[in-house]
Structures are given as structure tokens and as C-alpha cells.
Amino acid sequence: MMKSIKFSCVVINGRFLEQKITGVQRFALEVTKALDEFAASSPFPYILAVSPAVREEVLPQLQNIKIERVGSRSGILWEQTQLVSYLKKHKALVLNLCSVTTLFYKKAFVCLHDICYSLHPDFVSSKNKLTRAWHRLQDSCGARRSVKILTVSNFSKKEIVDYYSLESSKVVVVYNGWQHFNPEIQKDDFAERFDFLKEGEYFYTMSTLKKNKNFKWIVENAKYNPDKTYAVAGKIDVKKFGTSAEEYEAPNIHYLGYVSDEDARLLLKHARALIFPSLYEGFGIPPLEALAMGTPVISSNATCLPEIFEDTVHYIDPYKADVKLDSVLESPVCDAGKLLDRYSWRNSAKIISDTVASLPGHSLPGSIV
């Protein structure tokens, strides 16, 4: 039985606002904005704590959550020392939303988006042993010492429960959303911006060199389908593949580098399909964004992806690249409308708010706002 948890306020760890927005930071930002609605009726105040390094222009517009700048440092040092001092001073419950917890403060919720570093160290470059060790420490401490663990799929919940031998009730599934990705396009200048791509005839993907993203599948499939065109967004530097870099180049692949949200919408809208060949995901936001645009999705059938997307996408084996994409797209899929209705940042925020409110015990008297 869970012990009583006494706290005077809920503090959101705002370190994610120092960082580039990728999947976990997107989750933290959108959940924070959605929590603002529920903070209005909460019996205890919600505070977003940020370091002085967070720029004013990236702060979310909030009505009911107070934003407070804490300490004088930034990064990990701020998170593990000055933020912890602030939490102790105000007897707070902290929400750590980016797979990193406050090691010296146990009155915490932590969102472990996945435990890839612990279960699949082979996905991490041998050059990043320190990063791998840090994240494995974070996974372990977050799982064993936090009041509650949030995660983004039932697949990840099962991995966490099994690996750390936890009670199932300690882990709460909080899915991602897609509403940050406005499918409306104000100015459709695709033909001018991307004149090297033919509308409706190229396959779009977003990737990195992380092994779990399985970029190798894209390259091998492009070589198997020389008559198809591939557009790859993301920080892909084929030179980093080492001496065999030429094996990862193909004349029908266009490397786009980093693309803005506006360009991503354009590229998704006019693509034949999005390809998402990941070997391991905790959730997978890009296919949701594509479905919101009405763009077909060719997805890996690995890990959580069938759970998340059910029968709305075309599945491929991420270990078998010698497939004809036209044939893949011939498989029937269901309309994505009901699926898109299921996933929303508001639903996710409500689950978190309800979970906080249901903790045994009661809040401490007093308020810091």
C-alpha cells in the first residue's frame, strides 16, 4: 500500500525548455500547456520551475501555472542541485517529464518514455558510454525511487514493470498527442521550395543516426527501389558512418537536413507516404502527425507501434528492406479519425492531474503563490 504523500505544491521540472524540441521535450511542453487548464481547479498550486538560461520567448503562455525562475545555473547541475533545493524548501511534488529524474529528491513523478538504454545498450554508440551509464542510472533511480512512473505506451509499461519487478499500479500510461502539429497550411509553396521533388511521388522520412531509428533500412530500400525517390529530414551526415560511407549513399535519396515545422507539414502533405522503420520506440509521434495530414504511413511492426497505430498504417518488417513500396501500400487500412480522437495532450494532462490528485494523504497547508 502506498504511503501518504504530503506536499504543498506541484512543480514541473522545466529544464526541457533549455533543450532542442524533440520527442520527449515535445511531450513535456505540450503536457505542461494542457495541465494549465486543470491547474485552475487544483487544490494545490502548480509551478513551472525554469533556470535563468531559459529564454523568455520559449516560455509557454500559461494562465494558471506560475512560472518561476530558480537558481543561477543551468543544465544537469541546475536540475540536480538548485532545483532540488527549491523542491525541498517548498515541500513540493515534482513532475519530471523527460526520462530524467531528480536523483536526490524522491517525492517525484518521472516519465520514462522508454528504457532503451537499459534494455538495448547495443543501440547506443560505444563512443557514448558515459551517456549510456547516466541514462541507465536515471532509469533505475526513476523506476525504483519515484512515487509514480509515467510512460507513453502499454508496451513501455510492461518493459518497465518486468525489468524492475514493480507493481503494475505504480506505472501509469500517458499517451502522446498530435495537436501541436497544425495540419492547416497557410502558404503552400511546395513547388517552389522543393522543386527537386514531384508531388505525390516521393517517400518522406525523418531520421537520425541512432541505431533504433533504423536509417539503414531506408538506404537499403532505396537501393532496392531505384525508381523511387526518398526525402530524408533530420541530422543525417553519411560521413559519420565511417569508411563504408559510400554504402549509405544512393542517387534517389535527397538529404534535407533539419526542416522547420512548416516545411515538415509541406513535405508530409505532398508525400506519397511517410516511412517509419524504427526498431524500437516508446511511442512514435511522426506517424500521428502524418495521419493528421491525411498522409499514408508505412511503419515498422516492432515494439509499441502496432499498439499505437492498430490498423491505420501499412506495416513492414524493419529487418527486411527488400520490399516494393507500391505493394506495401496496397494493403488495406482503416480510417484514422477515431485513432486521432483517442490521442490528445488534454487527455494526457487529465490523466496526470487525476493521478496527482488521487495520491493517498493530503497536501500541506500553505501556498507559495
Side-chain angles (χ1 to χ4, degrees):
M1 184 175 180
M2 184 181 292
K3 297 179 180 179
S4 295
I5 307 296
K6 296 185 178 182
F7 53 93
S8 66
C9 59
V10 178
V11 173
I12 301 168
N13 175 356
R15 188 187 160 211
F16 63 90
L17 291 169
E18 297 179 23
Q19 302 166 331
K20 183 178 179 180
I21 297 294
T22 59
V24 296
Q25 290 82 11
R26 173 65 66 189
F27 175 90
L29 175 61
E30 299 302 330
V31 162
T32 297
K33 291 192 292 186
L35 276 170
D36 194 47
E37 172 189 344
F38 301 101
S41 56
S42 170
F44 28 75
Y46 275 72
I47 298 106
L48 172 60
V50 300
S51 78
V54 174
R55 304 190 313 276
E56 195 71 27
E57 60 268 25
V58 304
L59 292 174
Q61 298 297 309
L62 304 172
Q63 300 299 316
N64 305 302
I65 298 177
K66 179 183 178 181
I67 299 176
E68 186 155 331
R69 292 191 181 272
V70 174
S72 58
R73 301 182 182 276
S74 62
I76 293 175
L77 189 60
W78 174 83
E79 184 174 53
Q80 301 299 332
T81 59
Q82 294 182 328
L83 174 62
V84 168
S85 295
Y86 177 86
L87 297 172
K88 291 179 177 179
K89 176 181 178 181
H90 296 295
K91 299 180 175 61
L93 175 73
V94 62
L95 300 183
N96 296 307
L97 299 174
C98 291
S99 290
V100 173
T101 193
T102 39
L103 296 175
F104 304 105
Y105 193 79
K106 295 189 290 185
K107 201 178 292 184
F109 278 29
V110 61
C111 185
L112 297 179
H113 292 253
D114 60 59
I115 52 172
C116 183
Y117 283 95
S118 297
L119 289 176
H120 299 284
D122 53 306
F123 286 164
V124 184
S125 169
S126 59
K127 296 180 181 179
N128 296 322
K129 290 181 179 179
L130 184 60
T131 298
R132 182 168 61 193
W134 170 250
H135 282 285
R136 292 185 72 174
L137 173 65
Q138 285 289 340
D139 287 351
S140 178
C141 288
R144 300 184 190 284
R145 302 178 67 190
S146 298
V147 174
K148 284 283 185 180
I149 302 164
L150 310 174
T151 194
V152 291
S153 64
N154 283 304
F155 166 82
S156 287
K157 174 176 178 172
K158 185 177 187 306
E159 288 201 322
I160 293 166
V161 168
D162 291 350
Y163 189 76
Y164 292 106
S165 300
L166 303 175
E167 292 292 332
S168 179
S169 59
K170 185 174 181 177
V171 185
V172 179
V173 175
V174 183
Y175 288 122
N176 280 280
W178 57 271
Q179 291 75 12
H180 61 281
F181 194 84
N182 184 356
E184 299 297 325
I185 294 177
Q186 300 300 320
K187 181 182 179 182
D188 193 339
D189 55 355
F190 173 83
E192 301 171 24
R193 300 286 309 285
F194 302 100
D195 56 0
F196 52 90
L197 298 173
K198 292 184 179 179
E199 182 176 346
E201 296 186 16
Y202 64 92
F203 293 89
Y204 179 61
T205 189
M206 292 166 276
S207 191
T208 69
L209 298 184
K210 292 181 179 179
K211 292 182 181 180
N212 66 296
K213 296 301 182 182
N214 200 20
F215 177 63
K216 185 178 180 180
W217 192 98
I218 298 294
V219 179
E220 291 180 354
N221 187 255
K223 291 179 180 179
Y224 188 76
N225 295 280
D227 59 323
K228 304 301 182 187
T229 301
Y230 299 72
V232 180
K235 193 175 181 181
I236 301 291
D237 184 354
V238 293
K239 294 180 180 179
K240 291 184 179 180
F241 281 106
T243 56
S244 59
E246 65 278 0
E247 297 179 12
Y248 293 85
E249 295 177 340
N252 53 337
I253 297 179
H254 295 277
Y255 292 98
L256 308 178
Y258 172 80
V259 299
S260 65
D261 287 347
E262 292 76 13
D263 284 349
R265 284 195 288 271
L266 276 178
L267 289 159
L268 276 174
K269 177 183 177 182
H270 295 287
R272 176 84 184 278
L274 170 76
I275 305 178
F276 197 71
S278 291
L279 297 172
Y280 184 96
E281 292 285 342
F283 185 88
I285 294 179
L288 267 190
E289 296 172 340
L291 292 174
M293 294 293 299
T295 302
V297 174
I298 297 173
S299 170
S300 161
N301 62 7
T303 61
C304 71
L305 298 173
E307 171 197 339
I308 302 302
F309 302 109
E310 298 182 350
D311 52 6
T312 65
V313 303
H314 306 271
Y315 289 106
I316 49 94
D317 182 341
Y319 296 97
K320 183 181 179 182
D322 56 343
V323 295
K324 294 295 184 182
L325 298 182
D326 288 339
S327 297
V328 173
L329 290 172
E330 289 175 359
S331 62
V333 294
C334 292
D335 181 79
K338 290 183 179 180
L339 185 88
L340 292 170
D341 289 342
R342 181 187 312 160
Y343 301 119
S344 78
W345 297 118
R346 186 183 186 279
N347 290 345
S348 302
K350 187 176 189 307
I351 291 171
I352 295 174
S353 175
D354 289 349
T355 303
V356 171
S358 68
L359 291 175
H362 57 274
S363 58
L364 293 166
S367 171
I368 66 170
V369 293

